[in-house]
Amino acid sequence: MLHNLEVSLARMPAEIGTTPKAILMISGHWEDDSFAVMSSPAPGMVYDYGGFPPETYQIKYPAPGAPALAQRTADLIAAAGLPTRLDPKQGFDHGTFVPAYVMYPKADVPLYQVSLQHGYDPAAHFALGRALAPLRDEGVLIVGSGLSYHNLRLFGPGAKEPSAGFDAWLDATLATSPAERTRSLLEWEKAPYARICHKEEDHLAPIFAALGAAEDAVATRVYHDTNVYGGVTASSYRFD
């Protein structure tokens, strides 16, 4: 069902071409009043799901954290005038440890997270990405982990039309000029089927931050599928 996505994630290290100093993950599964930064040297696990087989609650992804980079990250966020705090207790949620495991199964690359901010304001999350941009030049891989379609009540055949429509808009938007695509994403609710695909935009907001960190970069679609969960069209992008 998710084989194509798995293949895409597994290819990422080779596509990047060098092992990052650390991975900074912005996941749709961690929110805070501020842009909180995971600062534990050895983050634990957060099994933020229910109804799955027992073994899925025994998964361990023992990647080290990155406390020094967490402080650097919080400093950058604060310097941009955005609210932030260090969080030494937060562990890896499944929006982080699942893709990280496929990308780096040896768990040998330091990994940490920055939370979304409650409310998912697109402008604030673009501002977060802009604040994080210097980390790219310091060897940090910034990953926005979400989903271009996330209506849990409308999977299967009913998802075909809305997910395809929104995905086509997203692909066309990301192919426009940097200024135009930023403007369009700030107004994403005007997109076809926007609120059908995202009742809440927790799984869309990570792309605002990821793109904010690479606002002038070319967008390359690295994953595309048209039959996820029996009908969902979904895509992932790399910003070079």
Side-chain angles (χ1 to χ4, degrees), residues 90-227:
Q90 178 68 25
F92 300 138
D93 62 60
H94 80 272
T96 292
F97 70 75
V98 172
Y101 176 82
V102 179
M103 293 161 59
Y104 295 99
K106 294 181 180 180
D108 54 356
V109 179
L111 175 64
Y112 69 118
Q113 296 182 235
V114 172
S115 75
L116 301 177
Q117 186 181 34
H118 294 315
Y120 318 121
D121 176 41
H125 287 81
F126 263 97
L128 169 67
R130 294 180 190 119
L132 300 176
L135 296 172
R136 299 180 71 221
D137 295 328
E138 297 170 18
V140 176
L141 173 64
I142 300 173
V143 179
S145 173
L147 195 62
S148 57
Y149 177 89
H150 197 252
N151 184 336
L152 296 179
R153 297 183 179 180
L154 192 64
F155 278 116
K160 284 184 178 291
E161 182 177 335
S163 66
F166 186 81
D167 188 84
W169 170 85
L170 182 62
D171 191 58
T173 294
L174 291 177
T176 60
S177 68
E180 178 64 18
R181 70 187 181 190
T182 295
R183 184 198 63 77
S184 295
L185 282 166
L186 289 172
E187 300 176 345
W188 73 273
E189 289 178 274
K190 295 180 180 179
Y193 306 101
R195 279 298 178 190
I196 296 176
C197 296
H198 297 279
K199 295 291 186 183
E200 292 188 1
E201 55 269 37
D202 52 335
H203 279 65
L204 182 65
I207 199 173
F208 304 148
L211 186 53
E215 204 158 8
D216 294 328
V218 172
T220 301
R221 188 163 68 181
V222 294
Y223 160 73
H224 181 68
D225 210 334
T226 59
N227 197 38

Side-chain angles (χ1 to χ4, degrees), residues 33-54:
D33 290 337
S34 68
F35 292 112
V37 184
M38 177 189 292
S39 60
S40 171
M45 305 294 291
V46 178
Y47 304 113
D48 53 342
Y49 40 75
F52 288 87

Side-chain angles (χ1 to χ4, degrees), residues 35-39 67 70-74 84-89:
F35 292 112
V37 184
M38 177 189 292
S39 60
Q71 183 63 66
R72 164 77 170 140
T73 300
T84 188
R85 66 181 182 87
L86 294 174
D87 190 325
K89 296 181 179 180

